[in-house]
Amino acid sequence: MQKKHPFSKTTTLAITVLLLFSSLACTLSLFDIDLPSLGGDSSPDQVTVDATPATTPVPSAETQFTVHIPTPLNEGNILVISILDEVTGLPFNAANYPLEMVDAQTYTAALPLPLNAVIKYRYIIAGNNGAQETTSDNLPVRYRFYKVDGIGSVEDAVTAWTGQNFNGATGHIQGLAIDSISGQPIPNLLINVGGVQTLTNSAGEFYIEGVLPGLHRLTAYSLDGSYQPFQQGAQVEAGLVTPVQIFVAPAEMVKVTFIVDLPKNTQQGAPVRLAGNLLQLGNTFGDLNGGFNTIASRMPTLDLMADGRQSITIQLPVGTDLRYKYTLGDGFWNAEHKNSGEHNIRRLIVPESDLIVEDKVETWQTGPSSTIAFDVNVPANTPAGDVVYIQFSPYAWTEPIPMWAMGNNHWVYKLYGPFDVLNNFSYRYCRNAQCGSADDNATRGNATAGRQITTSLAPQDIRDTVKNWVWLEDNNYTLVASPIQARGEEFIAGIEFQSNYTPSWINFTSQAIQNVQGLHANWIVITPTWTFSRTQPLVFNAEPAKDPLWDDTRVMIEESRALDLKTALYPIPNFPVPADDWWIGAPRDFGWWNEWFDRYRQFALHHADIAARYDAQVLILGGDWLAPAMQNGMLVNGQPSGVPADAELRWNAIITDIRAHFDGEIWWAYPYTSGSLASAPPFINNVDGVYLLWDAPLSQTNPTNKETMLLEATRLLDEEILPYKTSTGKKIILGLAVPSATGAEAACIPNSLNGCLDWRALNRPQEDIPAVQINLQAQTDVYETMLNAINTRNWVNGMISRGYYPPALLQDKSASVHGKPAADLLWYWYPRLLGRE
């Protein structure tokens, strides 16, 4: 049987390795799965699969794995190939196989693997000093891919192990993925070489950096299965770039109906979800809280049938190696098991015709402990439409799970397991999956121990009350009527989403977009991101679970346009450290700058292509982070950035390239403080509008005086911004990011070093900064001042409120106006500025 995995409170990585190692002593193949037998056709184009266990073995083919390791193993250690379960979660339910030594740095194993399977695996060292393989930048290898087409062999090379620093020679791969039928480039395809992975951009391009010299297997994998898996060899030479062009076949779609019979003790009315290894079945392809990969709220929910069973029909790609399970939670919590206690991972190779799959869940429970029913009443001021989530911590906080609504602010959730791997754990409640931000006030923040519970042989009924939610108060704000000059629909009255994306957002962005429409805004600014994950060599691309994927951005644009909101796309980078520190730590030599400009161009063109494909009206480039890349750029420490002398020409070339991809307007986001327009780059003359990111103080006194603030606002507009508009002839749109904190009027939220915080430091899901004083009125006063200043200046083309937090209403210290008095002010001003009232 499978060995139980003990949990302890430690880091996620340590737990991941511990869980992988602990399963070695008693290995169970992940592929020891009963395949259902095929029944007769229910129609000429449809087959039915019976769920009863079949005696026919799964067709398999032997695969010989050979791996080369960087140094010999220490005595007592064992080298293991770990085949992963991405539905339950990469740290859990891995099938681990020891390899046999060929020589001190070469090991091998022959494994029978199911035909047509796509294997996700990695190498680990089991023993007293266990470790997981890492890439050349010392990050854990998430997994490698292998498609089982028949009897075959795989040869891999481990770059390094956790705890080691790699400093050897590497090479690079630069490639292009093309649809083999249409000849068009394929975006959002996952490319993996030697355990290093990336996503293709809108042009189908991909860059794999830091690969060991030698022959590697390059694999291409479609996150939603819409393209068939692809693999081929790629020879990498030290210090050189290997060009690769791959042609990947699209997959046809068929309808698959899943029908499932549930255990008798299933909670009546509880939503049953289908968890799987595809994007549309909740897989994020990223590392989430607690080492999870799937999110419950992104999984499809089955419907109740007349006979008591549940069913769902979905479109799936032909040939997909589908791994799936049924769950009352996610891939780990409340997921189905076999009666023997094993995780029940089902497998289906999607056929060429429509299919009905009939399954039966044996049990939701594992271990001797009984179920725990959580019953909670939440405050009456819980926003209508909010969903209450429960989050568990067996060793660290895992992904929140939606509770079941009973009406009248009453929510329940019944936990069936897995209780074979834990005895004591913590839990807490939050709103809209934003645990750590939209919390029960009794368990606020990520450092909380939560509410404690111990499993029991007898069923437990836990009744709780959330007395109040953090950052949610009943505030009364009195609007003061003002004479407002109507500008018409040409005026830009907008909201900009903040860019701290997490995959749980997508379930709440639809409501957020409706809320933006409810403020009478006519524009919305969506802020997709890419991540700078490495500086040398430079790695800048979209990372699953950190950045919105192609379809996430598409959905937000389409939902905005469906509500008649004009849409601007403003791509922003994610940094592993503050942007100023990142620039200081970057090499910034001539070769590096060439690479940087090339990567930024791809970043801009990628989002220009998305904007063009889904009919966004505007693409916004620029931002305050780009100062070192401007002509004669400087670092925050006063040192020259080393940017090439032809930076101005490079920026003009990028803008020209974008116009070849996108025929909408281009705005340049430029940070504005008093006097900053004097050094605005000349290439701004080649864009259509200037998005001024307002960071100018309106008052330096305490208490503030709104009349004084208005005088300063009008002075800056008339003496600095109007002359700039006149000289350039460009649209001027003001972007306001105003924290709800003392110091907002002075554009300076004090930090512990007697300096000013970046306003983004107060954004969620980052931890609260207790030293900052919340002040909702300060935010409102700044907005009221700016609106009054704009009101009498018809030459200002628009105003956009920045930093809106989409997933939840929070009256916190951030710049988001979601649910704050400043939003009421916009609700009053926007329709009148637009001439709607």
Side-chain angles (χ1 to χ4, degrees):
M1 74 173 66
Q2 202 168 19
K3 186 176 180 180
K4 307 300 188 292
H5 300 314
F7 288 98
S8 62
K9 291 188 176 180
T10 182
T11 64
T12 300
L13 177 59
I15 281 293
T16 301
V17 176
L18 172 64
L19 288 168
L20 291 169
F21 296 163
S22 65
S23 64
L24 175 64
C26 185
T27 301
L28 172 73
S29 170
L30 175 66
F31 303 104
D32 187 12
I33 300 172
D34 292 324
L35 264 192
S37 60
L38 291 177
D41 289 355
S42 56
S43 71
D45 297 316
Q46 181 170 282
V47 296
T48 300
V49 173
D50 188 355
T52 55
T55 56
T56 304
V58 179
S60 65
E62 184 173 272
T63 302
Q64 188 78 34
F65 288 87
T66 301
V67 60
H68 306 280
I69 60 176
T71 56
L73 297 180
N74 293 331
E75 186 176 354
N77 284 343
I78 302 172
L79 188 63
V80 171
I81 181 172
S82 184
I83 297 178
L84 304 170
D85 171 5
E86 201 170 18
V87 184
T88 307
L90 298 186
F92 319 106
N93 197 40
N96 296 329
Y97 300 90
L99 291 100
E100 297 179 357
M101 186 172 72
V102 176
D103 58 46
Q105 291 178 244
T106 306
Y107 287 76
T108 189
L111 303 181
L113 299 175
L115 276 173
N116 301 312
V118 176
I119 307 301
K120 298 173 183 178
Y121 69 97
R122 60 191 173 199
Y123 296 100
I124 61 175
I125 297 174
N128 295 329
N129 299 306
Q132 178 181 322
E133 64 169 317
T134 60
T135 60
S136 60
D137 54 347
N138 304 311
L139 295 176
V141 167
R142 197 160 191 272
Y143 46 59
R144 301 166 181 262
F145 288 94
Y146 177 64
K147 170 72 183 308
V148 184
D149 293 319
I151 296 173
S153 62
V154 173
E155 189 156 352
D156 293 319
V158 170
T159 302
W161 302 105
T162 48
Q164 298 177 353
N165 286 320
F166 176 81
N167 57 6
T170 63
H172 321 276
I173 292 178
Q174 179 175 327
L176 180 64
I178 298 173
D179 185 307
S180 62
I181 302 299
S182 69
Q184 295 299 308
I186 307 172
N188 208 40
L189 201 62
L190 188 63
I191 308 296
N192 189 296
V193 178
V196 182
Q197 65 181 37
T198 190
L199 290 169
T200 57
N201 62 23
S202 64
E205 299 165 335
F206 58 90
Y207 300 82
I208 298 286
E209 303 286 357
V211 182
L212 284 179
L215 181 63
H216 294 272
R217 187 177 61 264
L218 182 152
T219 58
Y221 185 83
S222 174
L223 306 186
D224 60 3
S226 56
Y227 283 86
Q228 296 174 15
F230 175 92
Q231 59 189 12
Q232 72 173 36
Q235 182 70 39
V236 176
E237 302 294 341
L240 299 179
V241 175
T242 300
V244 174
Q245 184 166 308
I246 63 174
F247 293 86
V248 186
E252 298 291 333
M253 304 296 288
V254 295
K255 288 193 299 185
V256 179
T257 298
F258 295 90
I259 300 174
V260 61
D261 193 7
L262 304 177
K264 291 183 179 179
N265 70 338
T266 303
Q267 179 69 39
Q268 186 175 2
V272 179
R273 292 182 166 88
L274 188 65
N277 60 339
L278 296 179
L279 195 65
Q280 58 269 44
L281 299 183
N283 189 6
T284 65
F285 292 87
D287 298 316
L288 306 173
N289 289 321
F292 284 23
N293 316 112
T294 60
I295 291 181
S297 52
R298 293 182 70 127
M299 299 171 186
T301 303
L302 282 72
D303 296 317
L304 183 65
M305 300 174 64
D307 63 3
R309 294 184 297 171
Q310 302 249 354
S311 71
I312 187 172
T313 299
I314 54 179
Q315 294 276 340
L316 289 174
V318 171
T320 295
D321 177 19
L322 181 68
R323 312 296 170 87
Y324 71 99
K325 63 167 69 172
Y326 300 96
T327 179
L328 301 176
D330 56 24
F332 180 79
W333 298 106
N334 269 2
E336 64 168 313
H337 284 70
K338 296 182 179 180
N339 286 326
S340 59
E342 302 163 28
H343 292 276
N344 196 14
I345 303 297
R346 302 175 185 269
R347 177 172 181 255
L348 172 70
I349 301 297
V350 178
E352 296 180 354
S353 57
D354 293 349
L355 179 70
I356 296 175
V357 178
E358 297 185 351
D359 291 320
K360 182 174 183 176
V361 173
E362 294 180 21
T363 181
W364 303 116
Q365 293 179 247
T366 55
S369 297
S370 193
T371 59
I372 305 174
F374 296 90
D375 185 303
V376 62
N377 288 290
V378 299
N381 70 342
T382 303
D386 272 15
V387 178
V388 176
Y389 279 64
I390 189 167
Q391 186 180 34
F392 300 113
S393 176
Y395 54 91
W397 291 112
T398 58
E399 283 298 309
I401 296 171
M403 299 185 73
W404 308 329
M406 305 300 289
N408 297 320
N409 294 312
H410 180 203
W411 297 77
V412 300
Y413 189 74
K414 189 172 184 179
L415 185 62
Y416 292 83
F419 292 140
D420 58 335
V421 293
L422 54 94
N423 295 314
N424 303 294
F425 61 99
S426 304
Y427 70 98
R428 63 174 173 177
Y429 304 107
C430 64
R431 298 186 292 118
N432 291 357
Q434 304 311 299
C435 292
S437 298
D439 295 321
D440 170 7
N441 197 42
T443 56
R444 64 190 296 171
N446 286 321
T448 182
R451 302 171 187 254
Q452 307 300 308
I453 193 167
T454 301
T455 59
S456 171
L457 295 177
Q460 298 183 71
D461 189 359
I462 308 299
R463 296 184 181 273
D464 291 319
T465 298
V466 173
K467 294 182 179 179
N468 51 72
W469 298 111
V470 69
W471 309 122
L472 187 60
E473 304 290 341
D474 293 321
N475 290 302
N476 295 318
Y477 175 70
T478 302
L479 285 167
V480 178
S482 302
I484 299 173
Q485 297 182 17
R487 306 290 187 85
E489 290 292 337
E490 295 77 20
F491 185 79
I492 296 161
I495 298 291
E496 177 192 312
F497 280 0
Q498 75 167 61
S499 59
N500 284 6
Y501 166 87
T502 64
S504 65
W505 275 24
I506 203 65
N507 297 96
F508 306 103
T509 51
S510 177
Q511 182 61 53
I513 293 167
Q514 293 178 49
N515 292 342
V516 169
Q517 184 196 47
L519 294 176
H520 305 288
N522 63 346
W523 278 81
I524 188 168
V525 180
I526 297 167
T527 54
T529 56
W530 278 13
T531 294
F532 282 110
S533 56
R534 193 171 182 176
T535 55
Q536 183 65 22
L538 187 65
V539 177
F540 183 36
N541 52 26
E543 290 195 15
K546 292 182 181 179
D547 305 304
L549 298 180
W550 180 281
D551 277 350
D552 295 332
T553 304
R554 172 188 61 79
V555 166
M556 286 188 276
I557 295 174
E558 290 178 346
E559 289 180 341
S560 299
R561 291 185 57 80
L563 295 178
D564 293 324
L565 288 168
K566 295 179 180 178
T567 306
L569 214 58
Y570 180 16
I572 297 174
N574 278 327
F575 292 92
V577 295
D580 290 340
D581 295 338
W582 185 86
W583 281 113
I584 291 172
R588 302 191 322 279
D589 56 32
F590 186 76
W592 185 89
W593 274 112
N594 285 337
E595 191 174 10
W596 186 91
F597 272 103
D598 185 53
R599 295 294 185 271
Y600 184 88
R601 175 183 174 276
Q602 294 155 16
F603 170 65
L605 291 178
H606 173 86
H607 291 98
D609 287 339
I610 294 178
R613 182 173 298 190
Y614 302 111
D615 297 323
Q617 284 87 355
V618 167
L619 178 69
I620 305 176
L621 300 177
D624 54 3
W625 69 279
L626 272 173
M630 298 295 103
Q631 189 83 36
N632 303 315
M634 303 292 289
L635 302 175
V636 70
N637 61 8
Q639 298 297 313
S641 68
V643 68
D646 63 348
E648 182 74 18
L649 293 175
R650 296 180 188 228
W651 284 113
N652 276 314
I654 288 172
I655 292 169
T656 300
D657 287 346
I658 289 169
R659 293 212 184 272
H661 288 246
F662 176 64
D663 59 8
E665 290 189 5
I666 300 173
W667 298 349
W668 187 265
Y670 187 74
Y672 172 72
T673 57
S674 182
S676 65
L677 289 175
S679 44
F683 68 77
I684 290 182
N685 289 318
N686 293 326
V687 302
D688 305 295
V690 181
Y691 186 31
L692 283 183
L693 309 181
W694 187 281
D695 194 29
L698 298 179
S699 174
Q700 301 287 1
T701 63
N702 189 16
T704 58
N705 179 294
K706 284 197 281 188
E707 291 182 2
T708 303
M709 292 168 61
L710 182 59
L711 286 173
E712 179 63 5
T714 56
R715 183 190 73 81
L716 294 172
L717 288 169
D718 293 343
E719 296 181 9
E720 295 193 11
I721 298 177
L722 177 57
Y724 181 75
K725 176 182 173 67
T726 302
S727 67
T728 62
K730 302 302 177 186
K731 288 182 179 179
I732 296 293
I733 305 96
L734 302 183
L736 299 186
V738 186
S740 305
T742 299
E745 308 94 328
C748 179
I749 310 302
N751 63 19
S752 59
L753 301 176
N754 297 320
C756 301
L757 283 173
D758 186 312
W759 65 273
R760 285 160 289 219
L762 299 173
N763 281 353
R764 301 295 162 190
Q766 296 169 117
E767 288 285 354
D768 180 47
I769 302 175
V772 174
Q773 297 179 3
I774 189 169
N775 191 336
L776 300 180
Q777 189 62 47
Q779 182 188 55
T780 307
D781 288 348
V782 172
Y783 272 102
E784 185 176 1
T785 297
M786 294 304 297
L787 286 164
N788 276 299
I790 292 169
N791 186 35
T792 55
R793 286 157 179 80
N794 289 335
W795 55 267
V796 177
N797 300 99
M799 191 190 86
I800 294 173
S801 172
R802 304 184 66 207
Y804 190 95
Y805 186 60
L809 181 160
L810 293 173
Q811 294 159 345
D812 61 356
K813 304 170 188 177
S814 75
S816 173
V817 299
H818 192 178
K820 297 176 182 175
D824 296 335
L825 193 68
L826 296 180
W827 172 86
Y828 176 80
W829 274 82
Y830 273 0
R832 289 163 177 81
L833 284 169
L834 296 172
R836 296 176 179 176
E837 293 186 13

